[in-house]
Structure formats: structure tokens, C-alpha cells
Amino acid sequence: MVSLLYSIGRYKKAKAQKERKKERKKECKKGSVKASRPNEIWHADVTEFVTSDNVKFYVHSVLDNFSRKIIAYTVSRDKTDKTRLISLKEAIIIQFGKVLSPTSGSYRRWRF
């Protein structure tokens, strides 16, 4: 009887340790960040598509970390910083209604 209770206790302890380990793994993913509110962290991504006739297209997208929503995207035939900036400016206009500049004073409202 004592050995049965001991086995059950060890089983429950091992199960609880496994659950705690799983929770820690979820929390501490290497390189991952979690936003606590919308528009706190954005991610920019470039995806390359090749058509059947071997033509390359690039989709430049901007995503919100909190909602995982695609804020803006641009499709182009070249992968340049100019196209990336266009998609970023579109995202800013969609989310805030205008492009923020250091001279307008509105950039001070952003929290970094």
C-alpha cells in the first residue's frame, strides 16, 4: 500500500514538473517578443514568389505583433529598400492617418 501511494506521488510530481517545463518553454521562446497592446511592435517581412514562367515577385508586408494582423503590403518585381519603405509608410498612414515626422512633434507620442 505504501509503495502504491509513493508511486502515485512520484507520478503527480513528475506530471507537475512536466507542465511547469512546458509553460516555461512557451514563455521563453528564443528570439520571440510579445506585444502587450496594438501598434507596440511591428514586423516587416519579404516573401519571394516565383511563377511558373520563372518570374519573381516580392511581397513586402508589415504585421502587428499583438493582433498578428497584416497592416499593409506591397507587391513588386524588385526587392529594394524603397519598396520596403513604401509598405511601411502605407502601414503608418493606415494606422495613424498620416506620416509622422520629427518636425511635426507627433512623434513624441510614440512609446519605444
Side-chain angles (χ1 to χ4, degrees):
M1 181 72 165
V2 174
S3 65
L4 177 64
L5 292 174
Y6 180 74
S7 296
I8 291 172
R10 284 186 68 195
Y11 171 76
K12 286 184 177 182
K13 185 177 178 182
K15 188 175 179 182
Q17 285 177 344
K18 192 175 181 181
E19 289 296 320
R20 283 194 300 272
K21 189 176 181 181
K22 200 182 282 187
E23 285 297 317
R24 277 190 303 229
K25 191 174 182 181
K26 257 187 201 180
E27 291 173 7
C28 302
K29 281 189 179 178
K30 216 173 199 174
S32 67
V33 290
K34 185 80 171 157
S36 59
R37 57 190 156 82
N39 296 323
E40 184 177 23
I41 301 171
W42 285 357
H43 298 280
D45 184 40
V46 179
T47 306
E48 179 183 293
F49 287 101
V50 181
T51 61
S52 59
D53 53 347
N54 223 15
V55 177
K56 289 184 183 179
F57 288 97
Y58 298 95
V59 179
H60 301 264
S61 57
V62 179
L63 295 95
D64 181 35
N65 182 285
F66 183 76
S67 64
R68 305 303 299 162
K69 181 178 97 171
I70 297 175
I71 299 171
Y73 67 93
T74 307
V75 180
S76 67
R77 302 250 336 245
D78 56 342
K79 186 168 71 171
T80 62
D81 55 346
K82 184 179 177 182
T83 350
R84 190 171 299 143
L85 283 174
I86 289 170
S87 63
L88 188 58
K89 283 182 180 179
E90 284 181 14
I92 292 170
I93 290 169
I94 289 169
Q95 291 300 104
F96 301 107
K98 62 179 177 177
V99 177
L100 304 176
S101 67
T103 56
S104 69
S106 55
Y107 73 98
R108 291 188 186 103
R109 286 183 274 168
W110 284 19
R111 291 185 187 169
F112 294 104

mmCIF file with all atom_site columns, all heavy atoms in Angstrom, residues 86-105:
data_model
loop_
_atom_site.group_PDB
_atom_site.id
_atom_site.type_symbol
_atom_site.label_atom_id
_atom_site.label_alt_id
_atom_site.label_comp_id
_atom_site.label_asym_id
_atom_site.label_entity_id
_atom_site.label_seq_id
_atom_site.pdbx_PDB_ins_code
_atom_site.Cartn_x
_atom_site.Cartn_y
_atom_site.Cartn_z
_atom_site.occupancy
_atom_site.B_iso_or_equiv
_atom_site.pdbx_formal_charge
_atom_site.auth_seq_id
_atom_site.auth_comp_id
_atom_site.auth_asym_id
_atom_site.auth_atom_id
_atom_site.pdbx_PDB_model_num
ATOM 1   N N   . ILE A 1 86  ? 7.962  51.963 -48.792 1.00 0.00 ? 86  ILE A N   1
ATOM 2   C CA  . ILE A 1 86  ? 6.606  52.272 -49.268 1.00 0.00 ? 86  ILE A CA  1
ATOM 3   C C   . ILE A 1 86  ? 5.578  51.501 -48.441 1.00 0.00 ? 86  ILE A C   1
ATOM 4   O O   . ILE A 1 86  ? 4.575  52.068 -47.990 1.00 0.00 ? 86  ILE A O   1
ATOM 5   C CB  . ILE A 1 86  ? 6.464  51.955 -50.774 1.00 0.00 ? 86  ILE A CB  1
ATOM 6   C CG1 . ILE A 1 86  ? 7.265  52.964 -51.604 1.00 0.00 ? 86  ILE A CG1 1
ATOM 7   C CG2 . ILE A 1 86  ? 4.999  51.940 -51.199 1.00 0.00 ? 86  ILE A CG2 1
ATOM 8   C CD1 . ILE A 1 86  ? 7.375  52.603 -53.070 1.00 0.00 ? 86  ILE A CD1 1
ATOM 9   N N   . SER A 1 87  ? 5.823  50.205 -48.205 1.00 0.00 ? 87  SER A N   1
ATOM 10  C CA  . SER A 1 87  ? 4.869  49.417 -47.412 1.00 0.00 ? 87  SER A CA  1
ATOM 11  C C   . SER A 1 87  ? 4.832  49.895 -45.962 1.00 0.00 ? 87  SER A C   1
ATOM 12  O O   . SER A 1 87  ? 3.771  49.924 -45.336 1.00 0.00 ? 87  SER A O   1
ATOM 13  C CB  . SER A 1 87  ? 5.192  47.926 -47.484 1.00 0.00 ? 87  SER A CB  1
ATOM 14  O OG  . SER A 1 87  ? 6.451  47.661 -46.938 1.00 0.00 ? 87  SER A OG  1
ATOM 15  N N   . LEU A 1 88  ? 5.972  50.321 -45.422 1.00 0.00 ? 88  LEU A N   1
ATOM 16  C CA  . LEU A 1 88  ? 5.998  50.843 -44.061 1.00 0.00 ? 88  LEU A CA  1
ATOM 17  C C   . LEU A 1 88  ? 5.242  52.173 -43.955 1.00 0.00 ? 88  LEU A C   1
ATOM 18  O O   . LEU A 1 88  ? 4.475  52.385 -43.018 1.00 0.00 ? 88  LEU A O   1
ATOM 19  C CB  . LEU A 1 88  ? 7.441  51.021 -43.601 1.00 0.00 ? 88  LEU A CB  1
ATOM 20  C CG  . LEU A 1 88  ? 7.652  51.380 -42.150 1.00 0.00 ? 88  LEU A CG  1
ATOM 21  C CD1 . LEU A 1 88  ? 7.038  50.339 -41.233 1.00 0.00 ? 88  LEU A CD1 1
ATOM 22  C CD2 . LEU A 1 88  ? 9.123  51.539 -41.855 1.00 0.00 ? 88  LEU A CD2 1
ATOM 23  N N   . LYS A 1 89  ? 5.411  53.047 -44.948 1.00 0.00 ? 89  LYS A N   1
ATOM 24  C CA  . LYS A 1 89  ? 4.673  54.317 -44.952 1.00 0.00 ? 89  LYS A CA  1
ATOM 25  C C   . LYS A 1 89  ? 3.170  54.081 -45.071 1.00 0.00 ? 89  LYS A C   1
ATOM 26  O O   . LYS A 1 89  ? 2.375  54.758 -44.421 1.00 0.00 ? 89  LYS A O   1
ATOM 27  C CB  . LYS A 1 89  ? 5.164  55.224 -46.084 1.00 0.00 ? 89  LYS A CB  1
ATOM 28  C CG  . LYS A 1 89  ? 6.467  55.902 -45.781 1.00 0.00 ? 89  LYS A CG  1
ATOM 29  C CD  . LYS A 1 89  ? 6.884  56.825 -46.902 1.00 0.00 ? 89  LYS A CD  1
ATOM 30  C CE  . LYS A 1 89  ? 8.205  57.501 -46.599 1.00 0.00 ? 89  LYS A CE  1
ATOM 31  N NZ  . LYS A 1 89  ? 8.645  58.385 -47.674 1.00 0.00 ? 89  LYS A NZ  1
ATOM 32  N N   . GLU A 1 90  ? 2.784  53.107 -45.908 1.00 0.00 ? 90  GLU A N   1
ATOM 33  C CA  . GLU A 1 90  ? 1.357  52.778 -46.020 1.00 0.00 ? 90  GLU A CA  1
ATOM 34  C C   . GLU A 1 90  ? 0.798  52.297 -44.689 1.00 0.00 ? 90  GLU A C   1
ATOM 35  O O   . GLU A 1 90  ? -0.317 52.654 -44.307 1.00 0.00 ? 90  GLU A O   1
ATOM 36  C CB  . GLU A 1 90  ? 1.145  51.706 -47.094 1.00 0.00 ? 90  GLU A CB  1
ATOM 37  C CG  . GLU A 1 90  ? 1.244  52.220 -48.502 1.00 0.00 ? 90  GLU A CG  1
ATOM 38  C CD  . GLU A 1 90  ? 0.997  51.126 -49.532 1.00 0.00 ? 90  GLU A CD  1
ATOM 39  O OE1 . GLU A 1 90  ? 0.490  50.041 -49.154 1.00 0.00 ? 90  GLU A OE1 1
ATOM 40  O OE2 . GLU A 1 90  ? 1.321  51.349 -50.701 1.00 0.00 ? 90  GLU A OE2 1
ATOM 41  N N   . ALA A 1 91  ? 1.567  51.487 -43.981 1.00 0.00 ? 91  ALA A N   1
ATOM 42  C CA  . ALA A 1 91  ? 1.120  50.996 -42.673 1.00 0.00 ? 91  ALA A CA  1
ATOM 43  C C   . ALA A 1 91  ? 0.937  52.139 -41.694 1.00 0.00 ? 91  ALA A C   1
ATOM 44  O O   . ALA A 1 91  ? -0.044 52.186 -40.946 1.00 0.00 ? 91  ALA A O   1
ATOM 45  C CB  . ALA A 1 91  ? 2.121  49.984 -42.130 1.00 0.00 ? 91  ALA A CB  1
ATOM 46  N N   . ILE A 1 92  ? 1.862  53.093 -41.698 1.00 0.00 ? 92  ILE A N   1
ATOM 47  C CA  . ILE A 1 92  ? 1.754  54.249 -40.802 1.00 0.00 ? 92  ILE A CA  1
ATOM 48  C C   . ILE A 1 92  ? 0.530  55.083 -41.148 1.00 0.00 ? 92  ILE A C   1
ATOM 49  O O   . ILE A 1 92  ? -0.217 55.514 -40.267 1.00 0.00 ? 92  ILE A O   1
ATOM 50  C CB  . ILE A 1 92  ? 3.044  55.099 -40.856 1.00 0.00 ? 92  ILE A CB  1
ATOM 51  C CG1 . ILE A 1 92  ? 4.206  54.321 -40.232 1.00 0.00 ? 92  ILE A CG1 1
ATOM 52  C CG2 . ILE A 1 92  ? 2.857  56.429 -40.139 1.00 0.00 ? 92  ILE A CG2 1
ATOM 53  C CD1 . ILE A 1 92  ? 5.556  54.950 -40.444 1.00 0.00 ? 92  ILE A CD1 1
ATOM 54  N N   . ILE A 1 93  ? 0.295  55.301 -42.439 1.00 0.00 ? 93  ILE A N   1
ATOM 55  C CA  . ILE A 1 93  ? -0.879 56.076 -42.864 1.00 0.00 ? 93  ILE A CA  1
ATOM 56  C C   . ILE A 1 93  ? -2.169 55.353 -42.483 1.00 0.00 ? 93  ILE A C   1
ATOM 57  O O   . ILE A 1 93  ? -3.119 55.979 -41.990 1.00 0.00 ? 93  ILE A O   1
ATOM 58  C CB  . ILE A 1 93  ? -0.829 56.354 -44.382 1.00 0.00 ? 93  ILE A CB  1
ATOM 59  C CG1 . ILE A 1 93  ? 0.291  57.359 -44.676 1.00 0.00 ? 93  ILE A CG1 1
ATOM 60  C CG2 . ILE A 1 93  ? -2.160 56.868 -44.898 1.00 0.00 ? 93  ILE A CG2 1
ATOM 61  C CD1 . ILE A 1 93  ? 0.607  57.516 -46.150 1.00 0.00 ? 93  ILE A CD1 1
ATOM 62  N N   . ILE A 1 94  ? -2.218 54.039 -42.673 1.00 0.00 ? 94  ILE A N   1
ATOM 63  C CA  . ILE A 1 94  ? -3.422 53.267 -42.333 1.00 0.00 ? 94  ILE A CA  1
ATOM 64  C C   . ILE A 1 94  ? -3.692 53.316 -40.832 1.00 0.00 ? 94  ILE A C   1
ATOM 65  O O   . ILE A 1 94  ? -4.819 53.516 -40.394 1.00 0.00 ? 94  ILE A O   1
ATOM 66  C CB  . ILE A 1 94  ? -3.282 51.815 -42.824 1.00 0.00 ? 94  ILE A CB  1
ATOM 67  C CG1 . ILE A 1 94  ? -3.370 51.769 -44.348 1.00 0.00 ? 94  ILE A CG1 1
ATOM 68  C CG2 . ILE A 1 94  ? -4.341 50.917 -42.198 1.00 0.00 ? 94  ILE A CG2 1
ATOM 69  C CD1 . ILE A 1 94  ? -2.989 50.435 -44.959 1.00 0.00 ? 94  ILE A CD1 1
ATOM 70  N N   . GLN A 1 95  ? -2.646 53.156 -40.018 1.00 0.00 ? 95  GLN A N   1
ATOM 71  C CA  . GLN A 1 95  ? -2.836 53.097 -38.574 1.00 0.00 ? 95  GLN A CA  1
ATOM 72  C C   . GLN A 1 95  ? -2.999 54.461 -37.918 1.00 0.00 ? 95  GLN A C   1
ATOM 73  O O   . GLN A 1 95  ? -3.758 54.607 -36.967 1.00 0.00 ? 95  GLN A O   1
ATOM 74  C CB  . GLN A 1 95  ? -1.659 52.375 -37.913 1.00 0.00 ? 95  GLN A CB  1
ATOM 75  C CG  . GLN A 1 95  ? -1.596 50.906 -38.224 1.00 0.00 ? 95  GLN A CG  1
ATOM 76  C CD  . GLN A 1 95  ? -2.820 50.157 -37.769 1.00 0.00 ? 95  GLN A CD  1
ATOM 77  O OE1 . GLN A 1 95  ? -3.668 49.797 -38.573 1.00 0.00 ? 95  GLN A OE1 1
ATOM 78  N NE2 . GLN A 1 95  ? -2.947 49.922 -36.497 1.00 0.00 ? 95  GLN A NE2 1
ATOM 79  N N   . PHE A 1 96  ? -2.283 55.483 -38.405 1.00 0.00 ? 96  PHE A N   1
ATOM 80  C CA  . PHE A 1 96  ? -2.277 56.779 -37.724 1.00 0.00 ? 96  PHE A CA  1
ATOM 81  C C   . PHE A 1 96  ? -2.872 57.920 -38.547 1.00 0.00 ? 96  PHE A C   1
ATOM 82  O O   . PHE A 1 96  ? -3.009 59.026 -38.057 1.00 0.00 ? 96  PHE A O   1
ATOM 83  C CB  . PHE A 1 96  ? -0.843 57.149 -37.317 1.00 0.00 ? 96  PHE A CB  1
ATOM 84  C CG  . PHE A 1 96  ? -0.219 56.127 -36.414 1.00 0.00 ? 96  PHE A CG  1
ATOM 85  C CD1 . PHE A 1 96  ? 0.770  55.284 -36.880 1.00 0.00 ? 96  PHE A CD1 1
ATOM 86  C CD2 . PHE A 1 96  ? -0.639 56.000 -35.107 1.00 0.00 ? 96  PHE A CD2 1
ATOM 87  C CE1 . PHE A 1 96  ? 1.342  54.341 -36.047 1.00 0.00 ? 96  PHE A CE1 1
ATOM 88  C CE2 . PHE A 1 96  ? -0.076 55.056 -34.267 1.00 0.00 ? 96  PHE A CE2 1
ATOM 89  C CZ  . PHE A 1 96  ? 0.917  54.227 -34.743 1.00 0.00 ? 96  PHE A CZ  1
ATOM 90  N N   . GLY A 1 97  ? -3.168 57.684 -39.823 1.00 0.00 ? 97  GLY A N   1
ATOM 91  C CA  . GLY A 1 97  ? -3.803 58.701 -40.641 1.00 0.00 ? 97  GLY A CA  1
ATOM 92  C C   . GLY A 1 97  ? -2.854 59.653 -41.333 1.00 0.00 ? 97  GLY A C   1
ATOM 93  O O   . GLY A 1 97  ? -3.261 60.418 -42.184 1.00 0.00 ? 97  GLY A O   1
ATOM 94  N N   . LYS A 1 98  ? -1.576 59.627 -40.969 1.00 0.00 ? 98  LYS A N   1
ATOM 95  C CA  . LYS A 1 98  ? -0.600 60.500 -41.626 1.00 0.00 ? 98  LYS A CA  1
ATOM 96  C C   . LYS A 1 98  ? 0.795  59.933 -41.378 1.00 0.00 ? 98  LYS A C   1
ATOM 97  O O   . LYS A 1 98  ? 1.002  59.123 -40.486 1.00 0.00 ? 98  LYS A O   1
ATOM 98  C CB  . LYS A 1 98  ? -0.674 61.926 -41.089 1.00 0.00 ? 98  LYS A CB  1
ATOM 99  C CG  . LYS A 1 98  ? -0.366 62.042 -39.605 1.00 0.00 ? 98  LYS A CG  1
ATOM 100 C CD  . LYS A 1 98  ? -0.442 63.472 -39.148 1.00 0.00 ? 98  LYS A CD  1
ATOM 101 C CE  . LYS A 1 98  ? -0.198 63.548 -37.641 1.00 0.00 ? 98  LYS A CE  1
ATOM 102 N NZ  . LYS A 1 98  ? -0.187 64.899 -37.167 1.00 0.00 ? 98  LYS A NZ  1
ATOM 103 N N   . VAL A 1 99  ? 1.738  60.396 -42.170 1.00 0.00 ? 99  VAL A N   1
ATOM 104 C CA  . VAL A 1 99  ? 3.124  60.006 -41.962 1.00 0.00 ? 99  VAL A CA  1
ATOM 105 C C   . VAL A 1 99  ? 3.703  60.907 -40.890 1.00 0.00 ? 99  VAL A C   1
ATOM 106 O O   . VAL A 1 99  ? 3.637  62.135 -40.989 1.00 0.00 ? 99  VAL A O   1
ATOM 107 C CB  . VAL A 1 99  ? 3.950  60.127 -43.269 1.00 0.00 ? 99  VAL A CB  1
ATOM 108 C CG1 . VAL A 1 99  ? 5.408  59.793 -43.007 1.00 0.00 ? 99  VAL A CG1 1
ATOM 109 C CG2 . VAL A 1 99  ? 3.382  59.223 -44.333 1.00 0.00 ? 99  VAL A CG2 1
ATOM 110 N N   . LEU A 1 100 ? 4.234  60.305 -39.837 1.00 0.00 ? 100 LEU A N   1
ATOM 111 C CA  . LEU A 1 100 ? 4.780  61.077 -38.730 1.00 0.00 ? 100 LEU A CA  1
ATOM 112 C C   . LEU A 1 100 ? 6.209  61.491 -39.046 1.00 0.00 ? 100 LEU A C   1
ATOM 113 O O   . LEU A 1 100 ? 6.988  60.707 -39.558 1.00 0.00 ? 100 LEU A O   1
ATOM 114 C CB  . LEU A 1 100 ? 4.759  60.245 -37.449 1.00 0.00 ? 100 LEU A CB  1
ATOM 115 C CG  . LEU A 1 100 ? 3.387  59.707 -37.051 1.00 0.00 ? 100 LEU A CG  1
ATOM 116 C CD1 . LEU A 1 100 ? 3.525  58.822 -35.840 1.00 0.00 ? 100 LEU A CD1 1
ATOM 117 C CD2 . LEU A 1 100 ? 2.433  60.834 -36.779 1.00 0.00 ? 100 LEU A CD2 1
ATOM 118 N N   . SER A 1 101 ? 6.523  62.733 -38.758 1.00 0.00 ? 101 SER A N   1
ATOM 119 C CA  . SER A 1 101 ? 7.874  63.214 -38.989 1.00 0.00 ? 101 SER A CA  1
ATOM 120 C C   . SER A 1 101 ? 8.384  63.891 -37.719 1.00 0.00 ? 101 SER A C   1
ATOM 121 O O   . SER A 1 101 ? 7.594  64.391 -36.918 1.00 0.00 ? 101 SER A O   1
ATOM 122 C CB  . SER A 1 101 ? 7.898  64.191 -40.158 1.00 0.00 ? 101 SER A CB  1
ATOM 123 O OG  . SER A 1 101 ? 7.190  65.354 -39.817 1.00 0.00 ? 101 SER A OG  1
ATOM 124 N N   . PRO A 1 102 ? 9.708  63.957 -37.533 1.00 0.00 ? 102 PRO A N   1
ATOM 125 C CA  . PRO A 1 102 ? 10.248 64.587 -36.332 1.00 0.00 ? 102 PRO A CA  1
ATOM 126 C C   . PRO A 1 102 ? 9.889  66.061 -36.202 1.00 0.00 ? 102 PRO A C   1
ATOM 127 O O   . PRO A 1 102 ? 9.820  66.585 -35.111 1.00 0.00 ? 102 PRO A O   1
ATOM 128 C CB  . PRO A 1 102 ? 11.761 64.413 -36.489 1.00 0.00 ? 102 PRO A CB  1
ATOM 129 C CG  . PRO A 1 102 ? 11.923 63.278 -37.419 1.00 0.00 ? 102 PRO A CG  1
ATOM 130 C CD  . PRO A 1 102 ? 10.727 63.316 -38.326 1.00 0.00 ? 102 PRO A CD  1
ATOM 131 N N   . THR A 1 103 ? 9.614  66.741 -37.319 1.00 0.00 ? 103 THR A N   1
ATOM 132 C CA  . THR A 1 103 ? 9.298  68.170 -37.247 1.00 0.00 ? 103 THR A CA  1
ATOM 133 C C   . THR A 1 103 ? 7.847  68.419 -36.850 1.00 0.00 ? 103 THR A C   1
ATOM 134 O O   . THR A 1 103 ? 7.520  69.498 -36.387 1.00 0.00 ? 103 THR A O   1
ATOM 135 C CB  . THR A 1 103 ? 9.564  68.852 -38.598 1.00 0.00 ? 103 THR A CB  1
ATOM 136 O OG1 . THR A 1 103 ? 8.811  68.190 -39.618 1.00 0.00 ? 103 THR A OG1 1
ATOM 137 C CG2 . THR A 1 103 ? 11.045 68.809 -38.925 1.00 0.00 ? 103 THR A CG2 1
ATOM 138 N N   . SER A 1 104 ? 6.968  67.419 -37.005 1.00 0.00 ? 104 SER A N   1
ATOM 139 C CA  . SER A 1 104 ? 5.552  67.632 -36.689 1.00 0.00 ? 104 SER A CA  1
ATOM 140 C C   . SER A 1 104 ? 5.285  67.583 -35.194 1.00 0.00 ? 104 SER A C   1
ATOM 141 O O   . SER A 1 104 ? 4.238  68.034 -34.743 1.00 0.00 ? 104 SER A O   1
ATOM 142 C CB  . SER A 1 104 ? 4.681  66.598 -37.396 1.00 0.00 ? 104 SER A CB  1
ATOM 143 O OG  . SER A 1 104 ? 4.891  65.322 -36.828 1.00 0.00 ? 104 SER A OG  1
ATOM 144 N N   . GLY A 1 105 ? 6.207  67.019 -34.416 1.00 0.00 ? 105 GLY A N   1
ATOM 145 C CA  . GLY A 1 105 ? 6.002  66.943 -32.976 1.00 0.00 ? 105 GLY A CA  1
ATOM 146 C C   . GLY A 1 105 ? 5.181  65.748 -32.553 1.00 0.00 ? 105 GLY A C   1
ATOM 147 O O   . GLY A 1 105 ? 5.160  65.385 -31.390 1.00 0.00 ? 105 GLY A O   1
#
